[in-house]
Amino acid sequence: MECISTAKFSLSINGSLHGYFKGARGLRQGDSLSPYLFVLGMEYLSRKLKTLSTKNMFKYHPKCVRMGITHLIFADDLLLFCRADMDSIAKIKNYLQEFSRVSGLEANSCKSSVLLSGVEDNTKAQICSYLNFPEGSLPMRYLGSPLVSKRLSFLDCSSLISKISDQLQNWQCRKKLSYAGRIQLIKTVILGIQIHWTSNYILPIKVLEKIDMLCSAFLCGSKIHLVSWAEVCNAKKLGGLGLYSAKMWNYAAAIKMIWMIHSKKDLLSIKWVHGHYLKHQDIWQVQPKRNDSWMWRQVLKVREMAISRFGNVNNLFRIIANCHNNGRMKISLVYNAISQFIVFTPWVNIVWGGLHYPKHSAILWLAVLSRLLTKDWLCSMGMLDINQCILCADIGNHLESRNHLFFYYRYSSYVWNKLMAWLELSWRSCSWDHVLGWYNNNLRGVGFMKKLKRMVLSGTVYWIWKERNMRIFQQKTRSPDQLVREVKISLLLKVLNEDIPEHLRDKIGKL
């Protein structure tokens, strides 16, 4: 917010009204104003402040003259702007006192401050004493975000990093949290924490990389990273998990901001940008100046990156036009548009489409990518010396690999053939590549029975993997028939609770 601190002989007051709803002057302890009356009071104050422009002796903040801005207000968070002369300050104080008499609300001196620039020390002391507010300094917080006049630093974003880190550490204590559960928490909660910052600022690269590093470590449980974070952040149809990289999301949000500067010229913030940076120039052509703020120079860097990625401005316009939903531009669509151009994966519907349990899909996804920690994988990384399949140790020394584990050896082939017979499928195969290829070619539709058959595949892979881990880490075993029963029960519990037609319900009931 360069206009607050660098304008010479200027004043900016920030703060909140005393006690928000409670503790207002004239009310007993514990009484409160209703939200409706509070909103009316703030509307009254806002209209009164707008009339400052008609008063003699009041002078605008130098950066607010063109727009006629005297204040910004949201709920009880209020910013006031004027030139740092006693006449202008007296006008503002009179309006605040009048509002206090009418509403019973008064400014909280403990939460308010005066920001001054280019003012002598004795004048500063006089202004602060007159207003009974302490002198403040940048950075300060407004609506939970830092307002700075210089480059946004890692330290300025420390509260964001701390909030994400604390949340992840709290979840990390829950050792039984599944891989799918971690995915969902990152996708919803962590994105929600960072979205306010990444949608309003172009954050430093170190901050964005730190957020991505924290999320990646949490997803993997601080163990071996099975899949790179860049691959995880691809859309599901591109072979990823559909998570959002903080770095790419911030980039997409900046493109949306640039587009709004281009098209939404009726918004106050956009008007201010046009008045002070563009001045009748085109956002796609304007060049940075030496005295421009750091944030504005970052916006123009993103503009150049976007144009370079898509070839020219016309191509960028065409891409952005496809990122609108019901007339509103969606950052998620911009994110998908600027993601790396990768060929769609043919197995996306097999892994994610249908009635799958999320934890089943997550294990199947890792299996398709051959990223499960099977013993051949651990041996290749030097973490194990001996590779022997635990499920067929009683019939010989077989090497454990993905292809061997799920369909090839006697235990898993028995389970798989039993389930194929249960689904009344005449086709049989106990080869990983053949099974996945057959599913891709024959079971990619949206019909309910095809979804059920895809669900059987994900469930089988999940339960065989669970059986393998139980034998290694808990020394517990189940017979193939017991495992088949577990698969059937888990699938039927899910399917029979779905809203499906009666004739299909009868068919499934016979299974």
Side-chain angles (χ1 to χ4, degrees):
M1 301 298 292
E2 186 184 57
C3 65
I4 291 178
S5 64
T6 61
K8 193 173 183 180
F9 298 108
S10 61
L11 163 71
S12 173
I13 306 174
N14 73 291
S16 61
L17 295 178
H18 181 65
Y20 196 52
F21 294 149
K22 294 186 178 180
R25 183 164 55 85
L27 294 177
R28 299 189 308 273
Q29 185 66 29
D31 288 345
S32 63
L33 292 176
S34 71
Y36 178 70
L37 291 177
F38 180 80
V39 171
L40 288 179
M42 300 312 294
E43 177 64 20
Y44 169 79
L45 175 61
S46 182
R47 292 188 180 187
K48 287 292 293 183
L49 291 172
K50 287 179 181 178
T51 64
L52 281 170
S53 59
T54 64
K55 302 298 180 181
N56 295 329
M57 308 303 291
F58 177 82
K59 295 180 181 178
Y60 284 104
H61 187 292
K63 291 290 186 178
C64 299
V65 175
R66 186 180 287 106
M67 297 292 299
I69 299 173
T70 58
H71 66 285
L72 296 174
I73 187 170
F74 183 83
D76 68 335
D77 287 319
L78 174 65
L79 289 175
L80 297 169
F81 305 93
C82 74
R83 189 177 290 272
D85 62 75
M86 293 306 298
D87 291 325
S88 300
I89 293 169
K91 294 290 184 185
I92 286 181
K93 184 173 182 180
N94 290 337
Y95 275 35
L96 291 176
Q97 289 176 338
E98 180 183 344
F99 170 72
S100 181
R101 289 193 299 270
V102 171
S103 67
L105 292 168
E106 58 184 9
N108 188 337
S109 58
C110 297
K111 296 183 179 180
S112 302
S113 59
V114 184
L115 304 176
L116 302 117
S117 175
V119 181
E120 296 179 354
D121 291 341
N122 59 342
T123 306
K124 288 182 180 180
Q126 183 182 5
I127 291 173
C128 293
S129 176
Y130 179 73
L131 292 170
N132 194 28
F133 295 152
E135 183 181 356
S137 61
L138 295 176
M140 68 177 190
R141 293 199 171 276
Y142 182 67
L143 303 181
S145 300
L147 301 183
V148 297
S149 60
K150 300 179 181 179
R151 176 174 181 162
L152 192 67
S153 67
F154 188 92
L155 184 61
D156 294 327
C157 302
S158 58
S159 62
L160 172 64
I161 299 295
S162 297
K163 193 171 184 179
I164 292 175
S165 180
D166 291 345
Q167 188 70 72
L168 294 177
Q169 288 178 9
N170 181 44
W171 293 332
Q172 197 74 46
C173 298
R174 304 176 185 179
K175 297 182 179 180
K176 293 186 178 181
L177 194 61
S178 68
Y179 197 81
R182 295 172 187 269
I183 294 169
Q184 193 61 32
L185 288 172
I186 294 173
K187 186 180 293 186
T188 54
V189 181
I190 301 304
L191 180 63
I193 292 173
Q194 71 184 40
I195 195 169
H196 177 68
W197 288 65
T198 53
S199 298
N200 291 282
Y201 295 100
I202 299 177
L203 299 179
I205 293 297
K206 287 186 178 180
V207 173
L208 299 170
E209 289 177 345
K210 180 65 174 179
I211 295 173
D212 284 340
M213 185 190 73
L214 289 171
C215 292
S216 179
F218 172 71
L219 180 63
C220 298
S222 300
K223 299 176 183 177
I224 299 172
H225 290 224
L226 302 176
V227 184
S228 70
W229 183 247
E231 193 172 353
V232 164
C233 291
N234 287 328
K236 287 182 177 179
K237 62 184 178 182
L238 302 178
L241 291 177
L243 297 180
Y244 294 114
S245 163
K247 186 187 298 185
M248 292 296 291
W249 184 270
N250 199 199
Y251 183 26
I255 292 178
K256 180 181 179 180
M257 184 191 306
I258 294 169
W259 182 253
M260 290 180 67
I261 293 172
H262 168 75
S263 59
K264 298 286 186 179
K265 299 179 182 180
D266 57 328
L267 299 178
L268 178 63
S269 58
I270 304 302
K271 286 182 180 179
W272 193 91
V273 169
H274 277 270
H276 290 273
Y277 288 119
L278 296 180
K279 297 178 180 178
H280 307 295
Q281 297 184 70
D282 189 348
I283 180 62
W284 309 106
Q285 304 297 331
V286 68
Q287 296 301 314
K289 300 180 179 62
R290 185 175 182 180
N291 61 342
D292 285 347
S293 69
W294 175 81
M295 188 64 70
W296 178 250
R297 292 197 299 271
Q298 294 301 109
V299 169
L300 296 184
K301 282 184 181 180
V302 171
R303 178 199 65 184
E304 295 304 315
M305 291 170 60
I307 294 174
S308 175
R309 178 177 288 269
F310 295 107
N312 54 56
V313 175
N314 291 331
N315 288 341
L316 180 59
F317 280 13
R318 178 176 53 81
I319 295 297
I320 291 177
N322 295 326
C323 295
H324 284 74
N325 187 8
N326 296 325
R328 298 183 62 183
M329 188 175 180
K330 298 192 67 175
I331 298 179
S332 58
L333 296 178
V334 180
Y335 181 98
N336 292 334
I338 64 177
S339 297
Q340 295 180 356
F341 299 99
I342 306 173
V343 179
F344 287 177
T345 51
W347 43 260
V348 60
N349 288 331
I350 306 304
V351 174
W352 304 108
L355 306 169
H356 302 43
Y357 286 95
K359 60 183 180 181
H360 294 185
S361 290
I363 296 300
L364 180 57
W365 175 71
L366 290 171
V368 169
L369 295 178
S370 194
R371 301 296 174 83
L372 288 173
L373 289 178
T374 50
K375 289 185 178 179
D376 64 332
W377 216 69
L378 294 172
C379 287
S380 67
M381 293 189 294
M383 300 180 69
L384 279 182
D385 297 326
I386 300 175
N387 181 1
Q388 182 179 6
C389 179
I390 190 69
L391 293 175
C392 51
D394 57 332
I395 59 173
N397 186 13
H398 293 275
L399 302 181
E400 181 186 276
S401 65
R402 179 200 63 179
N403 292 2
H404 168 80
L405 182 64
F406 290 108
F407 298 115
Y408 181 75
Y409 75 99
R410 188 174 63 181
Y411 184 99
S412 58
S413 63
Y414 178 86
V415 171
W416 179 240
N417 284 323
K418 276 283 188 178
L419 291 169
M420 295 281 278
W422 179 57
L423 292 175
E424 300 178 350
L425 292 174
S426 57
W427 184 84
R428 294 286 190 281
S429 177
C430 288
S431 163
W432 174 272
D433 294 330
H434 288 167
V435 169
L436 194 63
W438 186 79
Y439 265 77
N440 283 332
N441 294 327
N442 297 278
L443 296 175
R444 296 172 61 183
V446 296
F448 185 85
M449 292 306 297
K450 289 188 176 181
K451 290 180 180 179
L452 176 62
K453 292 170 183 177
R454 295 198 294 266
M455 191 181 181
V456 170
L457 174 63
S458 65
T460 303
V461 170
Y462 172 82
W463 283 100
I464 289 175
W465 180 248
K466 187 172 182 178
E467 175 67 18
R468 176 260 190 194
N469 290 335
M470 286 179 60
R471 293 193 179 197
I472 293 176
F473 301 111
Q474 300 179 28
Q475 290 74 49
K476 295 180 180 180
T477 63
R478 281 175 294 198
S479 68
D481 288 317
Q482 288 176 318
L483 195 71
V484 169
R485 184 172 179 274
E486 291 285 359
V487 175
K488 290 180 180 180
I489 291 174
S490 67
L491 299 185
L492 290 175
L493 284 175
K494 179 79 181 293
V495 170
L496 293 176
N497 284 311
E498 295 288 328
D499 185 15
I500 57 177
E502 282 300 322
H503 70 283
L504 288 178
R505 187 177 293 275
D506 294 339
K507 183 176 182 179
I508 294 169
K510 294 177 182 178
L511 294 175

